[in-house]
Amino acid sequence: MCAVQAGFLGKRTLILEKNDKVGAKILISGGGRCNYTNLYSSPKQFISQNEHFSKSAFAQWTVDDTVSFFETYGIEGKEKTLGQLFPVSDKAKDIVKVFTDLCNDLGQEIRCDADVKSIEQTTDGFEVIYEKHGREIKLQTPKVVIAAGGLPIQKMGATDFGLRTARKFGLNIIDTAPALVPLTITGKDQQWYEQLSGNSIFCRVWNDRASFEENILFTHWGLSGPAILQISSYWKAGEFIYIDVLPNENITELIQEEREMNGKKTLLNYLSTIYTRKFAEALSGYLPIEKNLATLSNVDLENIDNLIHYFKVKPAGDKGYDKAEVMRGGVSTDELSSKSLEAKKVPGLYFGGECVDVTGWLGGYNFQWAWASGFVIAQNL
Ligand SMILES: Cc1cc2nc3c(=O)[nH]c(=O)nc-3n(C[C@H](O)[C@H](O)[C@H](O)COP(=O)(O)OP(=O)(O)OC[C@H]3O[C@@H](n4cnc5c(N)ncnc54)[C@H](O)[C@@H]3O)c2cc1C
């Protein structure tokens, strides 16, 4: 996006990409369909030490700009859920093609298999040293944009290059961690989750920093699904998360209504009308599921209410960078101009995208940040 926008302004850029093709993460994003923006994107869906930092970039490049940019180049969007926009074709490669075609038309050169090893400051700019097919190549440039992504999924080309280079230039890094990542359960509880593997339930998941209403998915090692990925970005090791497995309803009231009509129905049969039978059965360790609704005591009702609306989980950890969709933390926003994303201490050096401490929620927000930061940098090159 940065190279394309720079091209629109008549500025020449050279993209150095260590993979043999560009856009690897775009190609796998959204299950190969690329959720390229979110219609409801606003700075509040982004985590950063400075929650105001992204406002300038998002004012300069809005969601409407993303939508019309892609429409101009033949990508109609369709909303799947919660504002998530995907190409009508359902093909992430169409998004990559927009960029590669435009780079081609605008004369912006893309050099693949070009592994950047270091960037050094010189009297009139920078010396960039990269390796291509085992050969070291040096080039001079007045300005450098680092859009080297975050740490997730090394086999797709992820490196710590952005962080390493920022450190080398004396820029502060906000601690990094996997985000939008499944959470693991170990020990004696693991078996309980394992038996439910594959079950998905619409829930509210929260902690004291955030709350999300989406599905959770049980897996043989713990919890996944959109609501879990979302809360993982706000979770720290050792903390609890809370799950309401029947959000926006009151299980006590529902049971009371039901038992007036069907007092002989067992709790198991009743819960099986709300959840899968498997899930209802799995509650046997916690609730008297064989009891008739009519015979449930007030204490039983209280326990049911607690379990359904305040299920407390202490994850053992997360699945790490191999399974994370993004990295939390990164180059500190204190080090960058919010208007241009230029490093305050190093004129001519810019950081954009995931390597900056701006991390979006699940749902197209991270690409919106990538496009916006690319646009903003291009205006200032
Ligand atoms: C499985 C998965 C699904 C996702 N789905 C979505 C989604 O649907 N919607 C959404 O908004 N976000 C999604 N994301 C997040 C999104 O892909 C990233 O936030 C986004 O790609 C970040 O863009 P970027 O340009 O900063 O970095 P990247 O897209 O990671 O690009 C950085 C590039 O730099 C290259 N590079 C790194 N080091 C060097 C070096 N030393 N020399 C040369 N090149 C180097 C890498 O090879 C890479 O191609 C998903 C992420 C994953 C992992």
Side-chain angles (χ1 to χ4, degrees):
M1 179 60 99
C2 187
V4 163
Q5 296 294 339
F8 289 153
L9 299 171
K11 302 169 186 177
R12 275 201 63 214
T13 61
L14 164 68
I15 297 175
L16 297 174
E17 166 58 59
K18 87 190 250 295
N19 286 340
D20 59 2
K21 55 179 189 286
V22 289
K25 283 243 177 106
I26 300 177
L27 291 172
I28 59 158
S29 69
R33 294 171 305 167
C34 187
N35 175 196
Y36 64 93
T37 190
N38 192 294
L39 297 174
Y40 308 124
S41 182
S42 75
K44 86 173 196 312
Q45 290 98 8
F46 292 83
I47 305 165
S48 172
Q49 292 282 99
N50 177 357
E51 62 190 41
H52 302 293
F53 181 81
S54 61
K55 286 181 180 167
S56 171
F58 287 136
Q60 294 180 62
W61 180 267
T62 65
V63 172
D64 285 349
D65 290 325
T66 298
V67 172
S68 58
F69 169 82
F70 284 110
E71 273 175 8
T72 304
Y73 298 103
I75 306 278
E76 289 297 321
K78 66 172 168 198
E79 183 185 350
K80 288 249 155 102
T81 173
L82 303 171
Q84 298 168 10
L85 217 63
F86 292 76
V88 167
S89 67
D90 269 338
K91 290 193 179 108
K93 68 177 172 38
D94 293 351
I95 298 280
V96 176
K97 191 168 181 298
V98 167
F99 292 118
T100 47
D101 284 354
L102 278 169
C103 280
N104 198 25
D105 294 349
L106 294 162
Q108 306 294 53
E109 189 187 341
I110 300 174
R111 236 172 257 175
C112 287
D113 296 310
D115 189 353
V116 181
K117 295 295 179 191
S118 75
I119 296 170
E120 309 293 338
Q121 211 167 5
T122 61
T123 44
D124 50 359
F126 300 88
E127 181 182 63
V128 176
I129 302 172
Y130 70 95
E131 214 176 85
K132 192 171 164 79
H133 304 313
R135 203 160 64 89
E136 190 178 275
I137 301 168
K138 293 181 179 174
L139 52 84
Q140 299 294 323
T141 173
K143 296 186 174 186
V144 171
V145 179
I146 300 188
L151 296 171
I153 319 204
Q154 258 181 17
K155 62 176 191 291
M156 308 248 40
T159 69
D160 66 349
F161 184 76
L163 303 173
R164 213 176 343 123
T165 309
R167 259 189 222 109
K168 191 173 96 173
F169 282 104
L171 311 191
N172 187 34
I173 305 292
I174 302 301
D175 285 348
T176 55
L180 300 181
V181 63
L183 299 175
T184 57
I185 308 284
T186 53
K188 60 180 171 34
D189 290 338
Q190 190 188 347
Q191 226 181 351
W192 189 82
Y193 289 83
E194 206 171 351
Q195 65 175 326
L196 287 169
S197 183
N199 278 250
S200 174
I201 302 179
F202 180 74
C203 292
R204 182 166 84 88
V205 179
W206 78 98
N207 62 12
D208 52 12
R209 291 185 280 279
S211 171
F212 297 94
E213 278 186 23
E214 282 181 74
N215 279 8
I216 67 165
L217 175 69
F218 289 89
T219 70
H220 56 278
W221 37 256
L223 287 168
S224 187
I228 296 297
L229 300 187
Q230 298 280 33
I231 203 72
S232 74
S233 300
Y234 291 89
W235 177 80
K236 292 200 185 93
E239 292 180 351
F240 284 96
I241 58 169
Y242 301 87
I243 304 179
D244 180 346
V245 291
L246 196 62
N248 311 315
E249 298 206 62
N250 182 325
I251 189 68
T252 311
E253 281 173 19
L254 290 177
I255 289 176
Q256 270 157 353
E257 275 168 29
E258 183 70 16
R259 75 172 165 188
E260 275 171 26
M261 295 175 296
N262 296 308
K264 286 199 176 138
K265 190 181 259 182
T266 61
L267 181 60
L268 173 63
N269 282 342
Y270 178 61
L271 291 176
S272 304
T273 63
I274 302 176
Y275 306 106
T276 59
R277 182 92 184 164
K278 187 97 191 142
F279 183 73
E281 281 170 353
L283 298 178
S284 65
Y286 301 97
L287 300 175
I289 57 169
E290 297 304 337
K291 270 191 173 180
N292 294 337
L293 297 181
T295 60
L296 292 172
S297 66
N298 285 344
V299 172
D300 289 335
L301 287 175
E302 211 173 292
N303 287 340
I304 295 167
D305 193 86
N306 258 325
L307 189 101
I308 297 294
H309 295 304
Y310 305 96
F311 196 85
K312 201 173 163 188
V313 182
K314 191 175 186 179
D318 62 53
K319 290 292 274 181
Y321 283 117
D322 276 354
K323 298 285 174 205
E325 285 206 5
V326 278
M327 171 184 86
R328 199 168 64 188
V331 179
S332 169
T333 55
D334 285 350
E335 304 285 5
L336 308 175
S337 151
S338 62
K339 291 198 176 62
S340 64
L341 300 179
E342 187 173 19
K344 292 175 189 166
K345 291 177 191 153
V346 193
L349 182 67
Y350 299 78
F351 288 86
E354 197 177 320
C355 61
V356 178
D357 173 36
V358 175
T359 308
W361 287 2
L362 184 78
Y365 300 100
N366 285 295
F367 279 135
Q368 183 59 24
W369 168 245
W371 316 143
S373 53
F375 172 85
V376 165
I377 295 171
Q379 308 312 299
N380 292 281
L381 283 179

